Amino acid sequence: MELQELYEHFEEEKRLFHGYASQVEYLTTMHYIHRYANTQAQILEIGAGCGAYSLALAKEGYSLTAVEPVKKHVQIMESRKTRDMDITILECDAAHLPEDWNSKFDMVLCFGPLYHLSRTQEQLQAIEAACRVCKNKGILMFAYIPHDMVMATEIMHVEGFLTGDEFDTKTLQLHNDPFVFHDEQSIDELFHPFPLEKLKHVAADGLAELMSERINRFTSEEFQVWMRYHLKTCEKPSFLGHSNHNLFIAQKNSR
């Protein structure tokens, strides 16, 4: 399915903010962005969606460039930016970043492309482009969707999922359409050819989607405790396979 068609029906602008459970991924990702970005950082977000991260960071005073291939999302970002934000918004995909952006950004956020690029060559092109535009010693963050926990979540919440159209009973794999799934081992292999030093591999939302009904009933105090627990455990390797969204964080070290 083409991205423009997919996001006519999928409300990306609400994905991270429709309950406590959906906020875990956002709060965790922002936690790590703040850990690595200094106040003078020039930040690029590739596949910025509706600007959940880019607009929030620009509001905080960071200098942002947001690149997004879906026209609807670009229009939403444009409508929400304010005059005091230092943000540039471009309709563009990960494979066609401007040629003069070489070593331009201190931090590159790539939270969308690996969700949708199904061919390995396309994934490698997106990673290569992100590395090209990042400064040496700059920070890159890539989000991806782990296969096995998504499968567990779907089985938990969708009646008849194992005999439906989204799961191959012969290969025991989810179909990579419209979303693409990885596991933590294949992600390490995918990034191996590039001049990247892995800093963190994070379970961005951990058990939040599987436990969403319970987490969404938390009191504010309970949710704060849950977030403290989650941030304490999200770097444990054992949690990477028990999360619906993971975050790979690396530093560019030119060889």
Side-chain angles (χ1 to χ4, degrees):
M1 182 183 295
E2 292 294 326
L3 284 182
Q4 305 290 343
E5 179 185 356
L6 170 65
Y7 285 103
E8 281 301 316
H9 306 285
F10 188 87
E11 294 183 304
E12 175 64 19
E13 66 269 31
K14 297 181 181 179
R15 184 177 74 85
L16 297 169
F17 306 106
H18 59 80
Y20 280 145
S22 67
Q23 292 177 44
V24 175
E25 178 190 354
Y26 174 78
L27 294 172
T28 303
T29 303
M30 288 294 278
H31 170 82
Y32 283 95
I33 291 172
H34 288 137
R35 176 181 292 189
Y36 289 104
N38 64 58
T39 56
Q40 303 303 313
Q42 298 280 327
I43 302 175
L44 169 67
E45 184 176 8
I46 304 171
C50 298
Y53 297 103
S54 286
L55 293 172
L57 291 166
K59 186 176 181 179
E60 291 178 11
Y62 291 95
S63 176
L64 262 293
T65 300
V67 169
E68 168 60 32
V70 178
K71 183 181 293 293
K72 171 186 173 183
H73 296 168
V74 171
Q75 293 171 343
I76 290 173
M77 278 193 284
E78 289 284 1
S79 71
R80 293 179 178 175
K81 74 176 182 180
T82 57
R83 291 183 178 181
D84 59 330
M85 292 181 182
D86 180 6
I87 184 169
T88 301
I89 301 169
L90 299 176
E91 185 179 339
C92 178
D93 62 43
H96 297 91
L97 302 179
E99 295 181 1
D100 61 352
W101 280 7
N102 295 333
S103 301
K104 179 179 176 66
F105 298 97
D106 301 288
M107 175 177 281
V108 177
L109 310 175
C110 197
F111 298 153
L114 295 185
Y115 287 9
H116 297 296
L117 298 174
S118 58
R119 294 187 299 172
T120 300
Q121 187 57 38
E122 293 175 327
Q123 297 169 16
L124 293 172
Q125 287 174 348
I127 298 169
E128 182 178 19
C131 290
R132 174 177 66 83
V133 301
C134 186
K135 294 178 181 178
N136 192 39
K137 303 301 181 182
I139 300 297
L140 299 98
M141 299 188 181
F142 297 86
Y144 69 94
I145 306 174
H147 178 277
D148 296 332
M149 191 56 173
V150 172
M151 179 175 164
T153 304
E154 293 299 300
I155 293 170
M156 182 82 171
H157 293 297
V158 180
E159 196 73 29
F161 180 81
L162 287 174
T163 54
D165 296 333
E166 298 181 22
F167 178 69
D168 189 321
T169 57
K170 294 181 179 179
T171 64
L172 302 180
Q173 295 288 306
L174 300 168
H175 293 304
N176 282 328
D177 182 33
F179 295 98
V180 177
F181 307 97
H182 299 270
D183 59 43
E184 58 271 28
Q185 293 80 19
S186 67
I187 283 292
D188 283 334
E189 294 171 3
L190 187 65
F191 285 101
H192 180 72
F194 299 97
L196 297 173
E197 175 189 353
K198 180 170 72 173
L199 300 177
K200 302 287 184 183
H201 204 164
V202 178
D205 54 3
L207 298 168
E209 286 204 27
L210 187 66
M211 296 176 56
S212 60
E213 293 181 8
R214 180 68 186 91
I215 291 174
N216 286 336
R217 295 198 305 271
F218 280 169
T219 64
S220 175
E221 182 180 2
E222 287 175 324
F223 182 63
Q224 294 305 314
V225 175
W226 177 260
M227 281 304 305
R228 286 170 49 213
Y229 169 76
H230 170 70
L231 291 173
K232 180 181 178 180
T233 59
C234 66
E235 294 182 22
K236 292 184 176 181
S238 59
F239 272 72
L240 293 174
H242 295 85
S243 180
N244 283 74
H245 300 85
N246 284 349
L247 190 63
F248 183 94
I249 305 173
Q251 182 178 59
K252 178 180 175 180
N253 291 317
S254 296
R255 296 168 180 169

